[in-house]
């Protein structure tokens, strides 16, 4: 029989149940942050609610001296899709017979939020006058446009010259077992829409037309073949991918007047987005095209190659689970990209990501208890054993 009453469960799982019962689909928070704030206020945290637009955010800190270590995360979840496709209702959490906590957000990332809170509760109980400052940067818009969420809070902190030395983002970084992977960076993402102009005409009279598809092909081939960089120890080589190619009127006898090509770079720290834009233009210019590009910078790459935080998280995972985590920068973008711009050391450390955004999202219940102990071990390493002074 699945467990639906959390009364007998650990404090971490009890809080996870409470968060999972709220269908907080982006940008709705539905009281998740109130729950967290109530617990943090009881620990003496100073709370600042920072709503922007229809997004709820808060920033909370405790402690008065030394470096600041913040936990970051989001209370919003992606939509569940039709409930009939779920084995258990997505917003009625339970632990199934295999010991898996089920519900939308169990892995991404309400389980991590619960683990952060209980980790800090135990840490503060043991070290009420701890060295260093502990922070929480929580948003209800990570899965959506991500404009009024972490990005806006970070700008607010920047204006105030707030220091943020270390940050653990609770995104589900683990692959096969709790803590086997810690993300210590992410690639950048640069999108572009390339418009190439030709001259429309009859296919039987090509000398009166200018076929933009024919012009586009060698230019795109050059972009695809370009060696943008070789990557480095932490990042694979930068890649250029075309995701959409639109041209043509549908008629078989018409040369189209224009072409639209949608492409995306996932890039390493060996190049900047400015380099990629300039090199793209140089290649297109060499092909003598009539074109323009609309660019969208989705995120700069970030990397925390080494330092106290990487050391403390490696140590925490090993101390609690016996596993030696692998550092990785794989995957899409995350809110870490915004936080890293404050000059912070940033890592992502959370439970297994196998079912995130899927139906039947689930995470091993005991993994969340381990995660809570890992977060606590990181705080202990930084502020008790290490007395970090960056
Ligand atoms: Zn997430």
């Amino acid at each position: 029989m699945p467990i639906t009453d959390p009364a007998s469960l650990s404090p971490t799982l009890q809080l996870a149940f409470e968060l999972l019962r709220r269908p907080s689909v982006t940008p709705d928070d539905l009281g998740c942050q109130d729950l967290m704030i109530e617990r943090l206020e009881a620990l003496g945290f100073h709370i600042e609610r920072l709503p922007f637009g229809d997004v709820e955010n808060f920033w909370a800190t405790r402690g008065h001296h030394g470096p600041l270590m913040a936990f970051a995360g989001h209370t919003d979840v992606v939509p569940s899709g039709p409930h009939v496709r779920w084995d258990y209702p997505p917003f009625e959490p339970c632990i199934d017979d295999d010991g898996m906590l089920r519900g939308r957000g169990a892995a991404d990332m309400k389980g991590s939020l619960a683990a952060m809170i209980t980790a800090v509760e135990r840490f503060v109980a043991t070290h009420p006058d701890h060295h260093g400052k502990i922070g929480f940067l929580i948003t209800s818009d990570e899965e959506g446009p991500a404009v009024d969420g972490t990005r806006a809070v970070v700008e607010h902190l920047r204006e105030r010259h707030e220091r943020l030395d270390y940050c653990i983002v609770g995104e589900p970084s683990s692959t096969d077992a709790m803590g086997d992977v810690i993300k210590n960076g992410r690639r950048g993402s640069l999108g572009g829409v390339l418009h190439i102009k030709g001259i429309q005409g009859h296919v039987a009279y090509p000398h009166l037309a200018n076929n933009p598809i024919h012009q586009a092909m060698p230019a795109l081939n050059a972009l695809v073949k370009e060696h943008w960089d070789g990557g480095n120890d932490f990042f694979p080589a930068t890649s250029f991918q075309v995701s959409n190619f639109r041209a043509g009127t549908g008629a078989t006898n018409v040369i189209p007047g224009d072409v639209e090509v949608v492409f995306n770079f996932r890039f390493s720290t060996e190049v900047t987005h400015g380099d990629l834009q300039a090199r793209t233009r140089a290649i297109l210019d060499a092909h003598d095209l009539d074109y323009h590009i609309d660019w969208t910078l989705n995120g700069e790459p970030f990397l925390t190659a080494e330092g106290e935080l990487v050391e403390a998280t490696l140590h925490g995972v090993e101390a609690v689970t016996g596993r030696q985590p692998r550092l990785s920068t794989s995957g899409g973008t995350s809110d870490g990209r915004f936080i890293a711009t404050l000059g912070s050391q940033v890592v992502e450390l959370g439970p297994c990501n196998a079912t995130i955004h899927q139906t039947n999202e689930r995470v091993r219940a005991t993994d969340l208890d381990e995660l809570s102990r890992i977060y606590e071990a990181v705080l202990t390493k930084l502020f008790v054993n290490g007395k970090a002074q960056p």
Side-chain angles (χ1 to χ4, degrees):
M1 282 292 286
I3 301 169
T4 53
D5 176 5
S8 61
L9 301 173
S10 69
T12 302
L13 290 167
Q14 288 187 19
L15 180 54
F17 265 64
E18 285 193 74
L19 293 168
L20 289 168
R21 283 200 187 106
R22 291 165 166 75
S24 53
V25 174
T26 315
D28 289 340
D29 169 68
L30 299 184
C32 291
Q33 294 183 17
D34 288 340
L35 272 176
M36 298 178 71
I37 284 171
E38 197 185 332
R39 303 279 282 254
L40 293 172
E41 272 179 334
L43 296 175
F45 272 78
H46 175 255
I47 312 287
E48 230 182 311
R49 290 180 191 263
L50 296 167
F52 293 102
D54 53 2
V55 177
E56 307 271 338
N57 309 287
F58 78 85
W59 169 244
T61 52
R62 184 188 199 279
H64 299 285
H65 46 82
L68 191 147
M69 151 67 216
F71 291 98
H74 59 90
T75 53
D76 59 317
V77 296
V78 294
S80 60
H83 291 203
V84 291
R85 302 228 178 103
W86 290 65
D87 296 341
Y88 301 90
F91 298 108
E92 294 172 31
C94 70
I95 296 177
D96 69 16
D97 294 340
D98 296 322
M100 304 299 284
L101 172 66
R102 286 172 170 263
R104 169 58 83 228
D108 187 8
M109 58 172 283
K110 290 177 172 177
S112 304
L113 298 179
M116 291 168 179
I117 296 282
T118 55
V120 171
E121 285 174 343
R122 289 191 311 276
F123 180 78
V124 168
T126 320
H127 309 284
D129 301 312
H130 59 83
H131 171 74
K133 291 181 265 191
I134 306 171
F136 276 79
L137 195 174
I138 305 296
T139 180
S140 67
D141 176 18
E142 194 272 345
E143 303 287 9
V147 171
D148 289 328
T150 301
R151 184 161 98 170
V153 177
V154 162
E155 288 319 312
H156 178 79
L157 297 178
R158 194 194 319 280
E159 279 166 23
R160 276 200 334 215
H161 306 287
E162 192 111 17
R163 228 172 102 179
L164 206 165
D165 303 278
Y166 312 117
C167 182
I168 297 181
V169 187
E171 288 295 342
S173 62
S174 304
T175 306
D176 299 313
M178 182 61 236
D180 61 350
V181 176
I182 294 172
K183 299 235 161 111
N184 65 330
R186 295 273 189 152
R187 288 189 287 180
S189 170
L190 173 66
V193 182
L194 167 65
H195 306 268
I196 301 174
K197 259 175 103 78
I199 298 170
Q200 185 175 322
H202 194 301
V203 294
Y205 300 90
H207 56 287
L208 299 177
N210 183 0
N211 193 325
I213 298 177
H214 294 189
Q215 292 180 60
M217 295 217 286
L220 289 180
N221 195 40
L223 290 169
V224 169
K225 293 242 168 80
E226 177 73 5
H227 178 80
W228 300 97
D229 65 31
N232 55 32
D233 286 351
F234 295 97
F235 290 93
T238 293
S239 91
F240 168 88
Q241 291 292 318
V242 173
S243 57
N244 290 270
F245 187 104
R246 276 189 283 273
T249 62
T252 56
N253 58 357
V254 178
I255 293 168
D258 43 50
V259 162
E260 185 187 277
V261 182
V262 183
F263 60 87
N264 181 266
F265 285 102
R266 291 299 157 114
F267 62 105
S268 79
T269 45
E270 294 296 300
V271 286
T272 67
H273 74 270
D275 295 339
L276 294 174
Q277 289 172 329
R279 287 169 64 188
T280 300
R281 281 192 296 266
I283 288 170
L284 295 174
D285 289 345
H287 286 80
D288 212 15
L289 307 176
D290 181 2
Y291 73 94
H292 79 271
I293 305 175
D294 297 317
W295 295 98
T296 308
L297 178 62
N298 305 305
E300 296 276 10
F302 71 92
L303 175 67
T304 302
E306 55 187 7
E308 301 87 7
L309 183 62
V310 167
E311 262 173 55
T313 47
L314 291 172
H315 163 87
V317 170
E318 199 175 351
V320 172
T321 69
R323 286 182 199 105
Q324 292 190 322
R326 184 163 56 81
L327 296 174
S328 161
T329 60
S330 68
T333 59
S334 84
D335 274 357
R337 69 192 139 143
F338 303 126
I339 298 162
T341 64
L342 292 172
S344 321
Q345 298 179 26
V346 179
V347 302
E348 297 173 23
L349 172 56
C352 292
N353 54 29
T355 61
I356 58 173
H357 297 203
Q358 299 181 7
T359 54
N360 297 318
E361 179 175 347
R362 58 196 182 275
V363 66
R364 185 157 296 287
T366 50
D367 281 0
L368 297 183
D369 293 320
E370 283 194 351
L371 181 61
S372 178
R373 280 160 49 215
I374 292 168
Y375 289 154
E376 184 187 3
V378 172
L379 288 172
T380 306
K381 176 85 177 160
L382 285 175
F383 291 157
V384 181
N385 301 338
K387 285 264 178 126
Q389 312 273 4

